[in-house]
Amino acid sequence: MKYAEIITDITNENVDKIFHYAIPDNIKSKICIGMRVFVPFGKGNRIREGYIIGFTHKTDIEEKYIKNIYSLPDEYYVFNSNMIELAKFMADKYYCSLSECLQCIMPKIIKDKTNKYANINYETQNINDKINTILKKNNAQSKVLNLLLKNDNVSIYEIKNILGVSLSPIQTLEKNNIIKITTKQIKRDAINVDKYNKTNHLKLNFEQTNAFNFIKQKIEEKSNKPILLHGVTGSGKTEVYLQLIDEVLKKGKQAIVLVPEISLTPQTVERFIGRFGKKVSVTHSKLSNGERFDQWKKAKNGEIDIMVGARSAIFTPFEKLGIIIIDEEHEATYKSESSPKYDTKEIAEKICNLTGATLVLGSATPSIDTYYKTQINKYDLVYINNRINKSMPEINIVDMRKELDEGNMSIFSKPLFKAIKENLENNMQTILFLNRRGHSTFVSCRKCGYVMECKNCNVSYTYHLKEHKLICHYCNSTENVPNVCPSCNSKYIKYFGVGTQKIEEQIKKYFKNARVMRMDMDTTSKKNSHQNILEDFKNHKADILIGTQMIAKGLDFPKVSLVGVIASDITLNTGDYKSAENTFQILTQVAGRAGRADVKGKVFIQTYNPEHYSIKFAKDNDYKGFYEKEILERKIMLYPPFSNIFFIMICGENENMVINAINFLHKVMMYYNQKTNFYISDVAKAYVYKVNKQYRYKIIIKAEEEIRLKNFVLYCVSVLKNKIDVNKLNIILTLNPNYIQ
Ligand code: ADP
Ligand code: ZN
Ligand code: ZN
């Protein structure tokens, strides 16, 4: 083949195309699809990174304009052909450039343990003159300078590779202060396997065995239907995963296990390492680029067989993939919120189609979308209906309106208060859940009603006790607490609304001897703080753990026998079509933390909406009942899975500009919609309509056909961009978003 087809690392949509380069003889024998290359690009021939996605004999470009590939930085390919297929699938499905998708799949390539970067030393006197002398010589030093004049922060490794020079000209330039070299230390701690207790297979109970056999057979049949494992909380799903993986390994195949968030699921990770030791690696967003690259390479070279990680671990480059397991498949974190806005479950399905691996989704509260697919026979379904200990927690609903009628103004209902007290006396542990951090959720004047609002966003400030400050949860700006009302000068500033800090304060007030811990974004900013809190609570160093949704998932603490949900109405009143689903899920999951070992669990759900179906079905632990009711609502309202929703938001500092653009876009859409007949909403302010000084307006479109909908929106947006200058605006397009804001 004469030419290489190359995608550059530039994500700009104008250069989102394939470029043809000639292959010089010296690299012909080494080059293959999926390798990285350095190529001269554009008029100035700046050196850019690119990826080879194919070869061809033909090109439309005149021979004399064809440039040569500069060099190959690696000895191996970065993408295999399946991954290139996957990137093409992503570019198409998530309306973004191929380059963006390739970069999303690939880790940042870091070669050396210590990375050294070179830059021109502009602080040196008469630096330009000095450069010009050297440049005239046209030797190795001048080559290096030419490269650095066009590119910042080039690593020594890259300089040597791109130019084919030795270290000596670089060292000479540094000695003469023409360039300076900075070092970035990269620490690459692999997991310390010895820290974990080795475990062996448990004898599966009847229901686990049934699920295990079902999935095992599907793997053997190479069925390309994904399988949903619907098992109640504490039913031993993880043990089933572990034994399935063992089967897969025995066949010489490999496994990817996805969990929603590594720091919140340390116990799950522990169990994989405990069972499979050095065969496992763990990857997540808190690792440095170097650490991640090391994990990636280990997987590629077959030094490990199991990768456990959050969302991005789906791109682990195993050559012999046998199974993908997505635990807690209903979690929103499986959808990326930045471009490419991929859905991990869709990616996993595509990978399984390409490789023949089997996809297993597990949850106690499957997403409505996934469960629907089992009902229309797109997915297989297998159940575990009972807990390992055969005892589901007893769930009580507390009507907070009655509490108020009876004169109880406190944040704890009488039954919850009594249960906390008893649980403390019995030396058992309690979890109190509230999905709102801070102390008081708004601060206002009792005389005139003025509410302290963020100056950048149209949301009220939250009062934080420790800092004694008002903090905006959208832009993080802070403000001092006023002594008098800024509007009427009255002194009656009052604090309303409950956050996790206030619960902590109240618990300490009423239960003086209780040892209390709090887990939310404010207490977990330091590295390892998640693990430390969970470890301490596990070791019974505290009696009560208060927290946000961080404490709702995956935790398996035998001494927790009481769970209290302080205000279940928060997730219910978000205005989103998924609010009932989210409420049911979070209540079931948090309730599922109680009574997992030998003591019966008790749960109290405090609410002002005791008759809401999401709360009632959660009380009865009736997933199927909830599903039947919810799927009917979705059908009537034409919401997913019966439609696709396109969420369009335009943001900008100049509100008039935003309004102009979105109104124009709306008009264009209404015009073209005469043919397509989609549901198109009016233009409206976003749920929080100003964030970080940016005004935000939205349009929502619903349609059954995904591809037509996508083409329609992209076309209308291109018309907008042609007619109106949108440079100062941010146009955000999301298909089937996690939340409609
Ligand atoms: P899930 O992931 O379904 O919520 P887990 O896998 O955490 O459930 O299992 C709950 C508890 O039961 C864990 O402590 C686990 O070690 C234990 N367990 C699971 N399977 C068995 C079994 N077959 N025999 C004994 N204990 C088991
Ligand atoms: Zn006032
Ligand atoms: Zn703000």
Side-chain angles (χ1 to χ4, degrees):
M1 289 285 172
K2 235 173 145 183
Y3 307 108
E5 297 176 321
I6 286 170
I7 293 281
T8 70
D9 67 351
I10 312 166
T11 53
N12 185 323
E13 60 192 86
N14 297 327
V15 290
D16 184 26
K17 53 184 168 209
I18 296 168
F19 295 94
H20 291 163
Y21 281 86
I23 308 163
D25 285 338
N26 62 329
I27 60 174
K28 231 175 204 141
S29 61
K30 295 180 219 154
I31 200 164
C32 69
I33 288 188
M35 278 181 129
R36 285 197 307 155
V37 288
F38 286 123
V39 290
F41 190 80
K43 283 207 190 84
N45 281 331
R46 275 181 62 144
I47 301 296
R48 308 273 344 190
E49 198 177 297
Y51 325 102
I52 301 179
I53 64 158
F55 295 105
T56 180
H57 274 307
K58 281 189 292 186
T59 180
D60 298 338
I61 302 163
E62 265 185 74
E63 188 92 21
K64 61 178 178 189
Y65 293 120
I66 296 258
K67 297 173 189 174
N68 273 341
I69 293 175
Y70 223 102
S71 60
L72 302 174
D74 316 309
E75 282 109 44
Y76 47 86
Y77 59 87
V78 178
F79 305 107
N80 64 26
S81 53
N82 278 341
M83 290 170 179
I84 293 175
E85 269 310 295
L86 182 67
K88 287 178 181 165
F89 165 83
M90 286 169 73
D92 189 43
K93 182 132 185 111
Y94 308 116
Y95 41 91
C96 55
S97 74
L98 190 54
S99 180
E100 250 179 305
C101 297
L102 287 169
Q103 287 173 53
C104 171
I105 292 178
M106 172 184 79
K108 284 247 173 300
I109 307 273
I110 308 264
K111 193 71 180 181
D112 307 311
K113 290 222 158 115
T114 330
N115 250 28
K116 290 187 174 168
Y117 296 95
N119 280 295
I120 304 275
N121 191 350
Y122 287 105
E123 280 151 31
T124 303
Q125 274 205 336
N126 301 328
I127 181 69
N128 288 331
D129 297 346
K130 286 178 182 163
I131 290 174
N132 286 332
T133 30
I134 299 169
L135 285 183
K136 275 185 200 129
K137 281 188 192 152
N138 209 358
N139 57 9
Q141 282 187 40
S142 68
K143 275 192 191 172
V144 174
L145 282 184
N146 260 321
L147 183 72
L148 293 183
L149 283 167
K150 287 181 193 154
N151 301 278
D152 296 334
N153 289 321
V154 188
S155 74
I156 305 301
Y157 159 74
E158 277 177 331
I159 297 177
K160 291 196 313 191
N161 244 299
I162 292 173
L163 302 173
V165 298
S166 72
L167 198 59
S168 111
I170 304 171
Q171 284 169 332
T172 312
L173 286 170
E174 190 195 14
K175 212 171 66 200
N176 296 335
N177 284 327
I178 311 286
I179 65 173
K180 64 179 173 203
I181 291 174
T182 40
T183 306
K184 210 167 120 193
Q185 194 73 34
I186 296 155
K187 204 166 148 264
R188 298 187 189 182
D189 275 346
I191 36 169
N192 181 4
V193 174
D194 303 329
K195 233 178 61 190
Y196 298 85
N197 291 334
K198 181 116 190 58
T199 65
N200 291 313
H201 285 351
L202 298 172
K203 189 172 171 347
L204 299 182
N205 67 21
F206 179 78
E207 281 195 291
Q208 281 176 313
T209 307
N210 187 38
F212 171 81
N213 285 339
F214 181 90
I215 300 171
K216 186 177 160 206
Q217 186 172 350
K218 294 289 169 188
I219 295 173
E220 271 154 21
E221 287 169 7
K222 290 205 159 50
S223 154
N224 60 8
K225 242 193 211 179
I227 304 156
L228 171 64
L229 172 56
H230 179 202
V232 297
T233 56
S235 62
K237 294 184 287 294
T238 312
E239 186 62 34
V240 175
Y241 304 150
L242 289 166
Q243 300 197 18
L244 283 170
I245 289 173
D246 201 40
E247 287 295 312
V248 167
L249 296 193
K250 277 191 211 147
K251 295 193 168 67
K253 295 279 181 83
Q254 297 161 317
I256 295 174
V257 182
L258 301 184
V259 292
E261 220 176 311
I262 287 279
S263 54
L264 300 181
T265 45
Q267 287 184 313
T268 311
V269 175
E270 238 176 83
R271 283 156 80 176
F272 281 89
I273 301 172
R275 191 68 54 91
F276 296 108
K278 287 197 163 72
K279 289 185 185 143
V280 187
S281 193
V282 178
T283 180
H284 55 86
S285 59
K286 292 238 168 82
L287 294 181
S288 70
N289 285 337
E291 287 168 328
R292 267 204 259 186
F293 177 56
D294 281 0
Q295 313 304 314
W296 180 88
K297 243 181 115 181
K298 271 192 203 162
K300 193 169 183 318
N301 297 339
E303 289 165 40
I304 53 161
D305 292 315
I306 303 162
M307 181 64 90
V308 181
R311 189 170 68 214
S312 64
I314 192 66
F315 300 115
T316 303
F318 282 135
E319 293 288 348
K320 293 178 291 183
L321 188 65
I323 193 168
I324 299 176
I325 293 169
I326 304 186
D327 193 25
E328 312 285 6
E329 68 84 28
H330 60 279
E331 287 284 342
T333 52
Y334 288 124
K335 254 188 202 171
S336 167
E337 292 193 337
S338 57
S339 188
K341 292 182 178 173
Y342 66 88
D343 178 340
T344 312
K345 285 181 270 182
E346 285 169 354
I347 300 278
E349 226 177 301
K350 180 71 185 175
I351 291 175
C352 287
N353 281 336
L354 289 168
T355 61
T358 303
L359 174 59
V360 177
L361 307 173
S363 176
T365 52
S367 66
I368 294 290
D369 286 353
T370 297
Y371 202 83
Y372 178 70
K373 285 182 182 152
T374 68
Q375 302 301 294
I376 57 171
N377 223 0
K378 271 193 170 169
Y379 287 6
D380 281 315
L381 173 63
V382 60
Y383 297 94
I384 309 181
N385 281 330
N386 292 288
R387 275 192 168 181
I388 291 290
N389 70 2
K390 300 267 186 293
S391 161
M392 291 307 284
E394 165 204 314
I395 302 179
N396 307 279
I397 297 179
V398 186
D399 185 344
M400 292 307 273
R401 296 168 307 190
K402 275 204 194 125
E403 291 287 318
L404 210 58
D405 283 350
E406 290 163 11
N408 180 6
M409 310 276 279
S410 95
I411 49 184
F412 305 115
S413 60
K414 279 188 217 124
L416 177 58
F417 190 90
K418 186 163 162 261
I420 296 173
K421 191 159 169 276
E422 278 172 15
N423 217 37
L424 278 169
E425 286 161 9
N426 294 335
N427 198 26
M428 295 299 284
Q429 289 180 298
T430 300
I431 286 180
L432 295 177
F433 167 74
L434 177 69
N435 216 354
R436 213 154 46 181
R437 68 193 172 96
H439 181 273
S440 306
T441 48
F442 67 103
V443 175
S444 115
C445 166
R446 266 238 291 231
K447 193 154 175 230
C448 76
Y450 181 87
V451 175
M452 295 297 297
E453 227 184 53
C454 173
K455 48 195 176 302
N456 305 324
C457 315
N458 88 312
V459 291
S460 53
Y461 272 123
T462 300
Y463 171 64
H464 282 242
L465 188 68
K466 194 167 145 237
E467 299 87 351
H468 187 57
K469 280 235 182 279
L470 301 173
I471 303 180
C472 171
H473 285 186
Y474 279 78
C475 73
N476 284 328
S477 70
T478 63
E479 178 115 29
N480 290 327
V481 182
N483 294 321
V484 295
C485 170
S487 168
C488 75
N489 280 328
S490 96
K491 284 186 291 186
Y492 300 108
I493 307 284
K494 279 281 275 182
Y495 297 64
F496 298 91
V498 180
T500 44
Q501 290 181 354
K502 190 168 206 162
I503 299 182
E504 186 181 8
E505 178 193 81
Q506 298 285 306
I507 285 283
K508 283 179 174 161
K509 182 173 151 196
Y510 292 119
F511 304 100
K512 294 227 158 47
N513 298 324
R515 297 165 302 163
V516 185
M517 281 189 324
R518 179 163 58 85
M519 185 159 162
D520 55 30
M521 245 162 70
D522 300 311
T523 62
T524 52
S525 53
K526 289 202 200 92
K527 209 182 168 185
N528 294 331
S529 46
H530 290 100
Q531 283 94 317
N532 294 341
I533 294 175
L534 294 175
E535 192 65 28
D536 284 353
F537 190 61
K538 184 179 170 187
N539 295 330
H540 207 158
K541 289 191 183 158
D543 305 301
I544 300 177
L545 176 64
I546 298 161
T548 54
Q549 79 267 31
M550 283 185 180
I551 60 169
K553 303 163 200 181
L555 305 178
D556 189 31
F557 298 136
K559 291 198 83 174
V560 174
S561 52
L562 174 65
V563 165
V565 180
I566 303 299
S568 54
D569 310 294
I570 297 173
T571 34
L572 208 49
N573 299 331
T574 56
D576 185 10
Y577 78 94
K578 278 190 184 162
S579 64
E581 179 177 355
N582 291 335
T583 304
F584 178 83
Q585 281 166 352
I586 198 124
L587 291 179
T588 306
Q589 293 289 346
V590 73
R593 302 311 113 211
R596 291 169 73 91
D598 23 350
V599 176
K600 176 93 182 163
K602 264 193 185 176
V603 180
F604 291 88
I605 297 175
Q606 301 189 157
T607 178
Y608 288 95
N609 297 281
E611 58 292 306
H612 194 280
Y613 65 96
S614 62
I615 294 177
K616 278 182 152 166
F617 285 119
K619 172 189 155 57
D620 296 338
N621 217 325
D622 184 2
Y623 176 83
K624 200 70 202 291
F626 173 74
Y627 170 82
E628 298 294 351
K629 167 92 178 129
E630 180 65 15
I631 200 78
L632 211 63
E633 297 280 322
R634 301 278 178 98
K635 194 165 192 172
I636 293 165
M637 299 299 294
L638 197 65
Y639 279 129
F642 300 100
S643 72
N644 292 282
I645 293 187
F646 220 113
F647 181 67
I648 299 152
M649 189 155 76
I650 301 188
C651 324
E653 281 198 26
N654 181 327
E655 188 172 9
N656 280 333
M657 250 186 190
V658 175
I659 293 174
N660 252 343
I662 198 142
N663 280 340
F664 181 82
L665 180 64
H666 192 259
K667 242 187 240 158
V668 173
M669 286 178 164
M670 294 311 276
Y671 175 78
Y672 287 107
N673 196 36
Q674 289 167 12
K675 278 186 210 143
T676 44
N677 223 352
F678 297 148
Y679 165 86
I680 301 178
S681 78
D682 291 339
V683 170
K685 287 178 178 175
Y687 186 64
V688 178
Y689 112 96
K690 188 179 155 203
V691 173
N692 244 332
K693 296 192 176 130
Q694 301 255 324
Y695 293 90
R696 317 194 309 166
Y697 283 76
K698 66 180 175 185
I699 299 172
I700 290 162
I701 309 189
K702 282 191 277 191
E704 282 175 44
E705 291 159 85
E706 177 185 325
I707 294 169
R708 275 181 71 210
L709 172 62
K710 211 156 58 187
N711 290 342
F712 175 84
V713 172
L714 294 180
Y715 180 74
C716 292
V717 169
S718 75
V719 174
L720 166 71
K721 284 182 177 171
N722 273 334
K723 276 274 156 38
I724 290 184
D725 181 6
V726 293
N727 267 326
K728 290 201 174 119
L729 302 176
N730 195 0
I731 303 173
I732 299 168
L733 306 175
T734 318
L735 182 62
N736 297 328
N738 280 331
Y739 310 99
I740 295 188
Q741 312 164 335

